[in-house]
Amino acid sequence: MPEDREVTIYDIARYLNISAATVSRGLKNNPMISKNTRKKIAEAAKSLGYQSNTFASSLRSRHTHTLGVLVPRLNSHFMSSALAGMENAANRHGYNLIIAQSLEDVEKEKRNAATMFNKRVDGLLISLSYNTQDIHHLEPFFKRKIPVVFFDRVYPHDESTSVGINNQEAAYNITKHLISQGCRKIMHLGGNLLRNVYQERLAGYRKALEDHHLPFSKKLYLTGPLSEQAGADAARYILDLPAEERPDAVFSANDTAAVYCMLTLKTAGLRIPEDIAFAGFNNDPISRVIEPNLTTMDYSGDSIGNTAATYLINHLKGISNLYTTNAITLRADMVIRASSLKNKLP
Amino acid sequence: MPEDREVTIYDIARYLNISAATVSRGLKNNPMISKNTRKKIAEAAKSLGYQSNTFASSLRSRHTHTLGVLVPRLNSHFMSSALAGMENAANRHGYNLIIAQSLEDVEKEKRNAATMFNKRVDGLLISLSYNTQDIHHLEPFFKRKIPVVFFDRVYPHDESTSVGINNQEAAYNITKHLISQGCRKIMHLGGNLLRNVYQERLAGYRKALEDHHLPFSKKLYLTGPLSEQAGADAARYILDLPAEERPDAVFSANDTAAVYCMLTLKTAGLRIPEDIAFAGFNNDPISRVIEPNLTTMDYSGDSIGNTAATYLINHLKGISNLYTTNAITLRADMVIRASSLKNKLP
DNA sequence: TTGTAAGCGTTATCAG
DNA sequence: CTGATAACGCTTACAA
């Protein structure tokens, strides 16, 4: 008959004729314990099939080796790569991830934050939902000094760190690139300005126009959910514009909208990039399938996730201090592809 | 000065002059407790800012309200949708998800399984890595009667349930469709036969050939990782074949390989579907971007994830019984698109 | 270097 | 319907 009770440190202690306290220390390689007893403990643990009980441990020690991850959606290329990066970092350092999605809904974000808090995560990694206005719902974390790291869609906050890229610079560069290709009426497809990423991309776009003495026109700035539908709608909008007002380029704040806009315009007979050039953002897999391939900004979700998680863990381990670094900016590289090349290269 | 100790059921008990046991019961809406006291308890809990301590609860009650999810990779369209579906179901029932990825490596899968076991997940949702040979590493779960649900890449096992689609039938239908379009030399791009999904898709393909009196040719069956590279390689292979041996259609076990094969063949000047028709599997977003759009099998990762998680949770709640149902088969629908339409429709 | 003993906050058992 | 009390398995002062 199989024993049903768990194997505890007491079993190991009894087996070795030492105290449970010693076993507890030995198990975590506490240097206070002699090398020899530590070895014996490790062996006994293995042979008895001991598995530490994380609840007992968490209950007593008040930390859980678990990080909460709160994202808008799990199923986007960027987000799932970011998660993969976090999982990697966490796994490497003996941490686990509890993951929840807000589905772009603030209310669900609030509920999830509460759950994470309740589950006593050691730290929180969060990317805000589309329409989150403020971060009151994170107050419990701040109050208890549970470190919070924002990534991608961040929020300015003195006591936490943000991990992302320089969206303004990236948007500036990509717009400048379009200008250098001879485009003069560049349209921008943007997202909700509540989110820094879209706000900054718009700013970079406007700055580039300004620096090149091109006017900003409200008629060439569309804002929306950047979905497939939004991309197709933008195309309709463009086609409905009188010929002389039509943009000669589109810079979209994400690849999805760019690609579906392209597809619709192509169906309508426009040539890309001859009639209208395109640039997107994210380097999503679809950007390499659309023809012509889409010029875009490449930045690795994997790196962002990895960096954010590693940084959080280092903070938890006392190796670094979150509160001294407000932002970590990773590099983003422009990937120039045929969709934006009006001046054919040699 | 903020109190640092947690608010416990004892605080509530003292506040209401009742016992902690009553509070504990009241908090979980135990019908034993009078409606009135239950209400008072709920109110007191709220006003004192009580947060239940899940560790204490887990330690005592021996269950964690946490499900382990073990997947090959987090960052594929199918997998992230499946996770989204699971997260949804879990969230709805008050469960949390601990997620880890094996990166297609058995060894990491083993380590992750051990961690999940150690974290005392209430149940496990798993999709096997590319080269997992057996499931010895899940024995601890079986021994302790911790329910395991396989999804997508499953493994036959008496005491667990598998959730997926009928891959053989799907592959049969898609191959039959290609045949109905006049294709006679249909190539198959397959994956590792250790995984049921690829094994079954191959079987369906072969069965369809057989039923239509078409020969199966080893020259037209390539197996590999079904990656972008693998797709491009397959194209090279096709191009290197003497003209009379070239396939007039390709059925790929996933969309990625199909799409990259198409792209390479198109670059080489082949026309799709005129010279060679295409069908894939998964209904990945890229299948709707490639031109011509790719005929494929649509089955929802979201539903699979949702079904698997819901089923697991129902089992945990005693509503259903895992051990009586060996497999749940969800529907998969063929999505016919231009890539396979040799006989133009009216 | 090791042992003793007091919790961590909850739930289960048994009694009323 | 409610209460007292003993665990659950581990960590950590404090003592030896």
Side-chain angles (χ1 to χ4, degrees), chain A residues 8-9 21 24-25 28 50 56 60:
Chain A
T8 75
I9 52 173
S24 172
R25 294 178 182 120
K28 12 188 60 69
Y50 169 79
R60 191 60 238 256

Side-chain angles (χ1 to χ4, degrees), chain A residues 18-322:
Chain A
I18 57 180
S19 82
T22 305
V23 175
S24 172
R25 294 178 182 120
L27 248 14
K28 12 188 60 69
N29 260 298
N30 187 323
M32 253 184 200
I33 305 298
S34 82
K35 270 220 139 82
N36 192 256
T37 15
R38 265 189 275 169
K39 205 173 72 189
K40 276 198 266 178
I41 291 171
E43 283 161 3
K46 175 168 286 180
S47 82
L48 296 184
Y50 169 79
Q51 303 265 64
S52 99
N53 183 317
T54 53
F55 306 118
S57 167
S58 293
L59 177 58
R60 191 60 238 256
S61 68
R62 323 183 80 77
H63 53 62
T64 62
H65 283 269
T66 298
L67 306 180
V69 185
L70 202 34
V71 302
R73 315 203 84 90
L74 287 164
N75 54 349
S76 79
H77 174 74
F78 169 75
M79 219 28 110
S80 55
S81 306
L83 286 179
M86 291 174 184
E87 196 275 344
N88 237 292
N91 194 286
R92 205 164 46 244
H93 295 278
Y95 278 76
N96 285 103
L97 256 35
I98 284 191
I99 300 178
Q101 56 184 343
S102 64
L103 297 174
E104 306 285 12
D105 172 16
V106 213
E107 295 310 317
K108 199 168 176 229
E109 183 173 292
K110 287 180 188 170
R111 287 203 301 281
N112 285 335
T115 309
M116 301 262 159
F117 182 76
N118 201 261
K119 282 253 172 178
R120 313 291 200 278
V121 296
D122 284 351
L124 183 68
L125 293 152
I126 184 169
S127 184
L128 297 172
S129 92
Y130 204 67
N131 48 11
T132 297
Q133 303 256 7
D134 56 63
I135 52 172
H136 289 332
H137 49 303
L138 301 183
E139 273 307 322
F141 292 87
F142 301 141
K143 272 215 186 87
R144 283 223 186 205
K145 301 271 180 226
I146 296 169
V148 173
V149 171
F150 293 91
F151 68 98
D152 194 47
R153 292 162 171 199
V154 306
Y155 198 93
H157 184 259
D158 273 354
E159 305 208 327
S160 28
T161 294
S162 293
V163 179
I165 59 166
N166 187 331
N167 286 283
Q168 169 153 0
E169 183 180 297
Y172 183 92
N173 289 337
I174 214 160
T175 308
K176 195 174 88 177
H177 162 73
L178 289 171
I179 296 172
S180 79
Q181 292 293 307
C183 304
R184 290 296 170 266
K185 287 187 295 185
I186 304 172
M187 168 170 239
H188 180 49
L189 266 40
N192 190 334
L193 296 184
L194 274 176
R195 295 284 69 80
N196 70 303
V197 292
Y198 303 121
Q199 159 108 39
E200 289 163 23
R201 286 171 204 176
L202 172 63
Y205 159 76
R206 293 192 65 157
K207 184 77 165 46
L209 293 187
E210 199 181 309
D211 285 0
H212 293 81
H213 313 294
L214 293 173
F216 168 78
S217 154
K218 279 194 173 171
K219 282 202 166 169
L220 294 184
Y221 169 53
L222 259 43
T223 175
L226 296 170
S227 56
E228 298 180 3
Q229 187 58 52
D233 290 348
R236 290 266 133 255
Y237 174 86
I238 291 171
L239 292 168
D240 287 345
L241 241 32
E244 69 281 6
E245 288 184 22
R246 273 199 195 161
D248 51 12
V250 174
F251 161 43
S252 167
N254 82 9
D255 288 342
T256 303
V259 162
Y260 278 81
C261 187
M262 286 168 77
L263 286 171
T264 309
L265 292 180
K266 282 172 67 178
T267 305
L270 296 210
R271 291 163 310 156
I272 297 165
E274 294 81 355
D275 296 329
I276 184 165
F278 263 88
F281 214 101
N282 275 9
N283 200 16
D284 191 281
I286 57 175
S287 70
R288 288 177 297 128
V289 171
I290 183 78
E291 287 168 290
N293 279 192
L294 180 62
T295 290
T296 188
M297 287 304 304
D298 176 65
Y299 62 106
S300 153
D302 200 272
S303 311
I304 289 189
N306 202 82
T307 305
T310 303
Y311 197 70
L312 181 53
I313 292 167
N314 282 343
H315 173 84
L316 289 171
K317 292 188 169 174
I319 295 176
S320 66
N321 191 331
L322 264 189

Side-chain angles (χ1 to χ4, degrees), chain B residues 14 58 103 152 244 252 255:
Chain B
R14 202 172 314 116
S58 294
L103 296 173
D152 194 49
E244 70 280 8
S252 167
D255 288 341

